[in-house]
Amino acid sequence: MADGQNKDLVLAPGEFAYVLDTTKGVVSTIVGSNNTSLSANQYPVLWDSDKRQFVRCDELNRARQSFVNVPEGSYVVLESPADSRSSHPQEGANNTTTPDLQFGRRVNIPGPAHFSLWPRQTARVVQGHQLRSNQFLTARVYNDEQAAANWDAAVVRPQALGEGDGQKNRAAIPKPDHLTMGQLLIIKGTDVSFYIPPTGVEVLSQEEGAGSYVRDAVTLERLEYCILLDESGNKRFVPGPDVVFPKPTETFVEMGGKVKFRAIELNEISGIHVKVIADYVDNKDGSVHNTGEELFITGRDQAIYFPRPEHSIVSYGDQQIYFAVAVPAGEGRYVLDRLTGNIKLVKGPMMLLPDPRREVIVRRVLDQRIVGLLYPGNQRALEVNKQLQEISQQLPVGEHFTQRAVEQYAVRSLTATSENIASESFQRKAKFTPPRTITLDTKYDGAVMVNVWAGYAVLVTDSVGQRRVVIGPETILLEYNESLMSMELSTGTPKSDDKTVQTAYLRVHNNRVSDKVTAETSDLCQVSLTLSYRVNFEGNEPERWFEVENYVKFLTDHLRSLIRNTARQHGVENFYKDAINIVRDAVLGVQQSGGRTGRLFSENGMRVYDVEVLDVKIDNAEIAKLLTQTQHKTVEATLKVVEAERNLENTKRIEKAKQGSLEECAGTTKLERHLETQAVRQALDVNLAKIQAQGQEVLRRNKLKLAERTVLKEISTAELAIEKAQEDQKLALAKIEIEQELHRLSVETQEFVKRTEAVSQDMIAAMQAFGDKHLIEKISQAMAPLAILGGGSVVDVLKQLIDGTPLQKVLGGLGESDGRTRSADRVPVTR
């Protein structure tokens, strides 16, 4: 709102606004319904709770605020409340006086409520907290005195009414014996279905500023459990079925995005290895377990295992549940006793479940001599044993064979891999060198296995026409109806269809294809090129890589044609001298931005990203000899030019030394002049600094004068506004007086008109005739001497005098009535 303009602030019921008086600095609260005219010294403001200051509103509409509306089932958190005598501004009035506010205090007011706010108050309406039986609230005491005093003012509804409680509408939560500031409270949904906190207690949201207050408890089914971690570091394991509410200082332990975990199912051929980390007594059999003791719990002891806070799971690598290994009839396993070092042979048929506290299954590798003795003529056994020995020498001891044992025993295991157990755990590594063994009968009994090396790909097809590409490094097992598609590739140099090779492996990265090309230049000279291409296969559709059966022949044929066409555009001398760049530009494209795009074959996604020109040879010996001689002459001429340039360079250096000596002398003179110039410049800088200081002082004084004049101008403007208001008042009073005088004159005029209307026309004519005759008589008396002097009558003289005037008619009548003028009346004129 512009200064000096009067505006009307109209507020409807349920609206209020703040108005600042700039002359007093007072903020008034205007509550609707109300219509207030704002003077030039008043303008509307809003309270910015973040900046803790009033913000001026340029528009009246922005100043309007709605009442705080708290419906039933909600409450409002009011900051900086007022005293109870004037808790809220009066409706329909201009509240110019703001009561004392309790800044920094908060009160909770349950609904329904509808009120406006005093300046510098803020209110936040929160919906009442409705709880199901598996939900809870976390509350915090922010004022222990207010919480204790207002504890019974909380709005609480019980979750389930007991017998005889049908008329109750409130169920109080027992007040703790001791309340402290910052104390956390848990409001359980099993006890309360609806809750509004009292003053001094606030309900915490799940996330800062999220506005979500109700939290979900953990509902556990049978065979489920959860873990709660206390601030003291202790853990609490709760099995299901149950609804678990945390204590104020507890949080749920989360693993893998879950807070509920399944109990561990064990049977006679599986078990877990645990270590006791705290003393406890088993409730089932009363046995005492001490800290540091290790247990191996199997399905014979406990079919369903719930972790305990006194237990810590011991795992080797990722293995937490130990499964039995099937030992068929006629086979055996070596078992190592970790404590004594004794290795025993366990024979099948049986399900072997070693105790991990002291037993480990080991394997044994036989050397070639023992294999030959035990399995004569078994070439496969020799080859497998040789491979195992080579691998054992290349890899760390125990690493490969542990993995191999898991792969082989997993086929015979009766259970699958389990999930990680949510519990305390120890990680252990193998502290021994496992003995070596070998399985001779099962290596080749499984499905067809293909190892795809790094940089290679294979196309797997089946009998129904489905295809998939496998890119290495990867090991795949083929289905019964799957096979690898083969390709026929050209070999030799140059590449041709005469020598081909069958393969199923396509090298897709860093492939190298060599070829020899014979081309003819523009001057009909034959040139032989030995080339090596670098090839990659690209694209998101790897099946297209196999759409060209002989990609080598396809590549070389296309590039041969391209190179021959390029050679026809160059002479033999130019082509021989710059063959590498010409071939690379033709095959890879012209170099741009420090690189080449390469050549892409859209038919199979093949890209040639580099080409090496290994050799360039001219087939005609005479032409080759001429080119060699020409090159020698060129080199000889070049050497002569280099020698002449070297002599020129030496001469330049001598003359440059002489010039340097002269330049140094001139430099000394120049330096002396420069120092003199610097001295003069410094003096000028000092004078300039003084002038600038004086100018800044004058500028500062002018600014002070300008500020003083600004203040005087504001005072003069205010005085003129006051004088203008006074003059406007005087003008309004004068206007009123003029209007009254005009009214009086109007009344008098009307009265006079009424009086004049009372005079008749005959009376006016008589009075006029009487007046005219009286006037004639007066004139006649005055004109008598003139008539005597003229020798005529007075009437004649008078007629001559008033001829053409209104009195002529009166005189005419007079003449007729007095026509009997006697001759004696005429006075002779003496000449």
Side-chain angles (χ1 to χ4, degrees):
M1 184 179 69
D3 293 336
Q5 297 181 359
N6 294 329
K7 296 292 185 180
D8 292 337
L9 179 60
V10 180
L11 298 176
E15 294 183 344
F16 69 98
Y18 300 141
V19 176
L20 173 64
D21 190 345
T22 58
T23 60
K24 300 178 182 179
V26 177
V27 178
S28 303
T29 304
I30 303 176
V31 184
S33 55
N34 200 315
N35 185 358
T36 303
S37 297
L38 304 183
S39 64
N41 300 324
Q42 294 179 327
Y43 60 83
V45 294
L46 287 174
W47 172 247
D48 190 343
S49 59
D50 295 332
K51 298 181 180 178
R52 310 299 297 177
Q53 65 182 9
F54 289 97
V55 180
R56 180 171 179 174
C57 296
D58 295 331
E59 297 179 4
L60 291 177
N61 291 331
R62 290 186 56 194
R64 295 189 181 93
Q65 303 183 57
S66 300
F67 275 31
V68 177
N69 185 36
V70 188
E72 289 186 351
S74 299
Y75 65 99
V76 59
V77 181
L78 180 63
E79 295 186 8
S80 304
D83 56 68
S84 58
R85 293 173 297 176
S86 55
S87 58
H88 305 299
Q90 182 180 356
E91 294 189 18
N94 186 351
N95 301 270
T96 58
T97 303
T98 302
D100 294 333
L101 303 179
Q102 301 177 19
F103 295 104
R105 296 291 299 274
R106 289 183 289 174
V107 295
N108 298 337
I109 303 174
H114 191 65
F115 57 89
S116 59
L117 298 176
W118 291 109
R120 295 186 290 179
Q121 280 187 336
T122 58
R124 177 170 56 90
V125 178
V126 182
Q127 187 177 1
H129 308 292
Q130 299 182 3
L131 301 175
R132 297 196 301 270
S133 60
N134 63 341
Q135 293 179 333
F136 67 97
L137 298 173
T138 301
R140 179 173 58 194
V141 178
Y142 66 86
N143 189 323
D144 49 353
E145 296 180 358
Q146 292 292 327
N150 298 281
W151 186 265
D152 293 335
V155 180
V156 183
R157 298 293 183 271
Q159 183 62 249
L161 295 177
E163 202 173 335
D165 293 337
Q167 302 300 325
K168 292 185 179 181
N169 59 1
R170 177 183 296 255
I173 299 177
K175 182 170 65 175
D177 297 333
H178 182 66
L179 291 173
T180 58
M181 186 175 296
Q183 180 179 355
L184 296 178
L185 306 173
I186 297 296
I187 311 299
K188 299 181 180 180
T190 54
D191 303 327
V192 175
S193 65
F194 182 82
Y195 180 74
I196 292 180
T199 299
V201 178
E202 65 175 343
V203 178
L204 301 180
S205 61
Q206 298 188 40
E207 297 179 2
E208 189 67 21
S212 178
Y213 300 92
V214 178
R215 307 166 189 258
D216 293 331
V218 174
T219 302
L220 298 177
E221 301 176 7
R222 296 187 182 276
L223 301 180
E224 288 186 342
Y225 68 97
C226 68
I227 307 173
L228 295 100
L229 176 63
D230 193 81
E231 293 177 355
S232 62
N234 295 321
K235 290 183 178 180
R236 180 162 62 99
F237 291 74
V238 182
D242 197 1
V243 178
V244 184
F245 296 92
K247 297 179 180 178
T249 57
E250 288 181 335
T251 57
F252 290 99
V253 175
E254 181 178 350
M255 292 182 60
K258 299 186 299 183
V259 296
K260 297 190 299 183
F261 311 100
R262 296 287 298 177
I264 303 173
E265 179 185 1
L266 300 176
N267 51 35
E268 294 183 356
I269 57 174
S270 64
I272 57 173
H273 184 194
V274 300
K275 190 176 185 68
V276 179
I277 58 177
D279 298 340
Y280 75 99
V281 178
D282 196 339
N283 297 328
K284 294 183 178 180
D285 54 6
S287 59
V288 178
H289 299 281
N290 300 321
T291 302
E293 181 181 357
E294 294 188 4
L295 305 175
F296 183 59
I297 302 175
T298 66
R300 298 187 183 94
D301 306 320
Q302 188 173 348
I304 304 297
Y305 174 76
F306 286 93
R308 303 174 56 103
E310 300 88 0
H311 284 182
S312 177
I313 305 297
V314 179
S315 60
Y316 292 87
D318 297 332
Q319 184 179 5
Q320 291 183 333
I321 301 179
Y322 295 85
F323 301 100
V325 175
V327 183
E331 294 186 5
R333 295 291 184 270
Y334 291 106
V335 179
L336 169 67
D337 191 334
R338 298 171 53 191
L339 301 180
T340 62
N342 182 38
I343 300 177
K344 63 179 179 179
L345 175 62
V346 178
K347 298 181 179 180
M350 66 173 303
M351 296 299 298
L352 176 60
L353 179 61
D355 188 343
R357 294 175 294 180
R358 58 183 302 162
E359 294 178 337
V360 178
I361 298 177
V362 296
R363 302 184 65 188
R364 179 182 178 184
V365 177
L366 305 177
D367 57 22
Q368 298 294 319
R369 183 180 61 84
I370 296 177
V371 172
L373 293 175
L374 297 178
Y375 310 102
N378 193 335
Q379 187 64 29
R380 295 171 56 194
L382 291 173
E383 294 176 355
V384 171
N385 186 73
K386 183 178 179 181
Q387 292 175 359
L388 292 177
Q389 289 180 344
E390 293 175 353
I391 295 174
S392 64
Q393 295 174 2
Q394 297 175 2
L395 298 179
V397 176
E399 176 181 344
H400 174 75
F401 294 105
T402 301
Q403 180 179 357
R404 295 281 297 184
V406 172
E407 291 175 358
Q408 293 181 4
Y409 298 156
V411 178
R412 303 179 182 181
S413 177
L414 298 182
T415 56
T417 303
S418 64
E419 298 178 351
N420 290 335
I421 302 173
S423 175
E424 300 288 346
S425 62
F426 288 103
Q427 296 290 334
R428 294 183 177 179
K429 296 182 179 179
K431 300 297 183 181
F432 60 92
T433 301
R436 300 170 181 175
T437 185
I438 185 171
T439 302
L440 300 178
D441 299 333
T442 60
K443 181 175 178 61
Y444 304 102
D445 294 341
V448 178
M449 183 175 62
V450 177
N451 292 321
V452 183
W453 300 337
Y456 286 84
V458 295
L459 179 61
V460 182
T461 61
D462 58 15
S463 58
V464 295
Q466 295 183 354
R467 305 193 306 169
R468 60 187 176 97
V469 176
V470 180
I471 303 174
E474 187 174 349
T475 300
I476 58 175
L477 295 176
L478 299 181
E479 297 290 342
Y480 183 80
N481 62 342
E482 285 184 342
S483 61
L484 300 183
M485 192 193 80
S486 63
M487 298 178 295
E488 183 177 6
L489 304 181
S490 299
T491 61
T493 303
K495 295 293 186 294
S496 64
D497 295 332
D498 298 334
K499 298 179 180 179
T500 59
V501 62
Q502 295 287 337
T503 181
Y505 297 91
L506 172 65
R507 182 157 192 137
V508 295
H509 297 300
N510 305 322
N511 196 350
R512 180 175 178 272
V513 179
S514 59
D515 193 18
K516 186 174 183 180
V517 181
T518 301
E520 186 177 71
T521 60
S522 60
D523 45 11
L524 305 180
C525 183
Q526 296 290 332
V527 180
S528 297
L529 302 173
T530 303
L531 306 175
S532 177
Y533 305 104
R534 300 291 181 179
V535 180
N536 283 341
F537 285 81
E538 304 173 354
N540 298 326
E541 300 177 1
E543 291 83 4
R544 296 178 58 246
W545 300 346
F546 299 85
E547 291 185 358
V548 177
E549 182 179 5
N550 190 346
Y551 75 89
V552 175
K553 191 66 169 60
F554 178 75
L555 169 68
T556 54
D557 288 345
H558 180 75
L559 295 184
R560 285 175 188 173
S561 176
L562 186 64
I563 294 173
R564 288 168 180 168
N565 180 52
T566 302
R568 293 285 296 178
Q569 302 174 10
H570 296 274
V572 63
E573 181 179 2
N574 184 31
F575 186 86
Y576 184 77
K577 182 171 57 178
D578 199 20
I580 295 177
N581 290 331
I582 293 174
V583 172
R584 291 176 65 84
D585 290 345
V587 176
L588 306 177
V590 180
Q591 186 172 2
Q592 296 179 354
S593 302
R596 302 176 187 269
T597 59
R599 180 164 297 277
L600 176 66
F601 291 81
S602 59
E603 292 82 356
N604 60 348
M606 177 175 56
R607 180 184 295 275
V608 180
Y609 67 89
D610 197 6
V611 59
E612 297 177 1
V613 181
L614 303 178
D615 185 25
V616 180
K617 183 179 180 181
I618 299 176
D619 296 340
N620 193 319
E622 295 181 359
I623 296 177
K625 182 178 180 180
L626 292 175
L627 288 176
T628 302
Q629 293 176 355
T630 302
Q631 188 66 26
H632 289 170
K633 292 180 181 179
T634 302
V635 172
E636 183 179 357
T638 301
L639 293 176
K640 291 181 180 180
V641 172
V642 170
E643 183 178 2
E645 289 177 351
R646 189 182 297 111
N647 293 335
L648 178 61
E649 186 67 22
N650 292 334
T651 304
K652 287 182 178 180
R653 292 174 63 186
I654 293 172
E655 295 299 325
K656 188 174 182 179
K658 294 180 181 179
Q659 293 174 5
S661 178
L662 296 176
E663 288 177 356
E664 291 296 328
C665 294
T668 303
T669 304
K670 183 178 180 181
L671 179 61
E672 293 176 352
R673 294 177 181 176
H674 177 69
L675 294 176
E676 293 176 357
T677 304
Q678 286 293 108
V680 174
R681 184 175 298 170
Q682 292 176 357
L684 291 176
D685 291 340
V686 172
N687 294 333
L688 180 60
K690 292 179 179 179
I691 293 172
Q692 290 178 349
Q694 294 175 358
Q696 292 178 355
E697 180 64 22
V698 173
L699 180 60
R700 187 181 66 82
R701 293 177 181 176
N702 291 336
K703 289 182 178 180
L704 292 176
K705 290 181 180 180
L706 179 60
E708 182 178 359
R709 291 182 179 179
T710 302
V711 174
L712 293 176
K713 183 179 178 181
E714 293 178 355
I715 295 173
S716 176
T717 302
E719 292 177 351
L720 289 175
I722 296 172
E723 292 177 0
K724 184 177 180 299
Q726 294 175 353
E727 292 298 330
D728 291 343
Q729 188 175 6
K730 291 179 181 180
L731 182 60
L733 293 175
K735 184 177 180 181
I736 294 172
E737 292 177 356
I738 291 171
E739 290 177 354
Q740 292 177 352
E741 182 65 20
L742 290 174
H743 180 70
R744 184 183 64 81
L745 292 175
S746 176
V747 172
E748 291 178 354
T749 302
Q750 292 176 0
E751 183 66 25
F752 180 78
V753 171
K754 290 179 180 180
R755 292 178 182 178
T756 55
E757 288 177 352
V759 181
S760 62
Q761 295 295 330
D762 295 338
M763 183 178 180
I764 293 172
M767 291 178 66
Q768 184 176 2
F770 178 79
D772 293 342
K773 287 180 180 181
H774 182 72
L775 178 60
I776 294 299
E777 289 177 0
K778 292 293 183 180
I779 295 173
S780 298
Q781 292 175 4
M783 295 299 295
L786 294 176
I788 295 172
L789 293 177
S793 66
V794 176
V795 177
D796 295 334
V797 175
L798 185 58
K799 286 182 178 181
Q800 292 177 2
L801 179 62
I802 64 175
D803 186 19
T805 65
L807 294 177
Q808 182 179 0
K809 296 179 180 181
V810 179
L811 187 59
L814 183 60
E816 294 176 357
S817 62
D818 199 14
R820 299 180 300 270
T821 303
R822 292 173 295 177
S823 60
D825 293 336
R826 296 182 181 181
V827 182
V829 178
T830 305
R831 294 189 182 271

